[in-house]
Amino acid sequence: MARRQLKFAKSQPTPNKKRRQTAQPFTSSWQFFAICVAIAASVLYLYTSKQPRRTKQSAAPPEYDFAATDSSIFTVVDIPGKGKGVVAVRDIKQGEVILRERPLFTVPRNINASPSTYIANQLNKLHDIARASFLNLSYVNFPAHLDPDSSPDEVALAIFQTNAVMAGEGIVGIFPRMARLNHGCSSAFNVVYNWRDEGAFLIVHALKDIAKGQELLTTYTDSKRPRHERRAYLKEQYGFTCTCSVCSLPDALSQASDARLSMISSLYNSFARWGKGDNDPEGIDGIRAVGYVREIWDIEDEEGYWSERGQLASDAAWVAAAHSDASATQAWARKAIEWYSYEIGADAPQVRALRKIAKNPEKHQAWETRAKLEVGGPR
Ligand SMILES: C[S@@+](CC[C@H](N)C(=O)[O-])C[C@H]1O[C@@H](n2cnc3c(N)ncnc32)[C@H](O)[C@@H]1O
């Protein structure tokens, strides 16, 4: 795209300085009008005759024409030790939309064909600009016995494996703009991406306030795992040793962070026991369940881990509704709306549903499905 524009700019006519210098003043209004029309017509002719032809092959579909919108919020730059990465060009507020993007192409998780043949076929169907944006992406884990120059299908597969993300149930897709986001663990990642079935696009939100110049980081793994597990996974799947602000903590602080993260995971498991029901010996009541949610929240505050809170508060609203605790249902629904809005957007279907629950808690589908109990709201 950029190269094409550069070529076009070079072929613009240079202004005719001599003619401009010798132009005479207008003697009447009709002459003025006639000259204006003539100028407008020639400007229009020059403009249209220099535009690339809008044939199927040369016009970029609007979703790939991203520079105009993204340049006001982030830029893609070289980041030492990471290849390319995304940096904020202005302060970004928590909950702001960073980008929306449609997939270049998608691949079902289970396919019968060989993955490299499947991807090569998908690439052949793409517009040339879109294909170039795919081939420009980085890749790791390329088989050592192959030569990239003579194995284009294997290169495409490696690019796909390094950059593909979920694009719906059982589907993965390629999003060349979001694919420039590097990874950070627990408190280090500051943006989150989500697939929207409604509209079929990926949306990236700022999970935290991000200062101008700061790198935008997402997470490639379950960041609630301890450092050695996260690092081993990232090394194997993505070919790098993570040195994010959490992974590079001194040992004592890193151990404290790991302890918090494993406590969060264990509390999530304890919370899930509510789902076993009242009659199961391992089941827990709503008061304990909501107590676990509050504990998770507190430890996450200490750790700086803010992701998945919309879902967590929404689950607490479910428990409260099941026990017919109207005020707790409303309070957790409001909490869920707040945090979902940061992470998946205030216009997401989950938020729309929760707004109805915040108004009419009795309309919750779990209402009165368990014994009546005051479970309590968020702190
Ligand atoms: C999806 S791409 C991200 C964009 C990539 N840096 C690029 O240049 O296009 C994933 C690759 O980026 C690099 N990467 C991502 N996060 C990193 C990090 N925290 N430290 C070092 N390299 C990282 C790794 O090479 C990884 O395989």
Side-chain angles (χ1 to χ4, degrees), residues 81-84 138 140 162-163 179-183 220 238 240:
K82 297 186 184 177
K84 292 197 183 304
S138 70
V140 292
T162 307
N163 294 280
R180 296 299 185 187
L181 289 166
N182 287 319
H183 163 90
Y220 294 179
Y238 293 96
F240 70 95

Side-chain angles (χ1 to χ4, degrees), residues 76-86 136-141 159 162-165 176 178-185 215 217-218 220 234 237-244:
V76 174
V77 294
D78 291 329
I79 309 246
K82 297 186 184 177
K84 292 197 183 304
V86 181
N136 196 23
L137 295 174
S138 70
Y139 60 90
V140 292
N141 295 342
I159 293 176
T162 307
N163 294 280
V165 296
M178 80 72 65
R180 296 299 185 187
L181 289 166
N182 287 319
H183 163 90
C185 297
E215 187 179 2
L217 298 171
T218 186
Y220 294 179
L234 293 165
Q237 296 292 320
Y238 293 96
F240 70 95
T241 301
C242 192
T243 53
C244 76

Side-chain angles (χ1 to χ4, degrees), residues 71 74 76 99 106 117 174 182 187 223 230 241 259 267 303 374:
S71 58
F74 66 77
V76 174
L99 64 82
T106 57
T117 310
I174 286 288
N182 287 319
S187 59
S223 278
R230 300 191 308 262
T241 301
L267 287 165
E303 175 66 15
E374 277 190 21

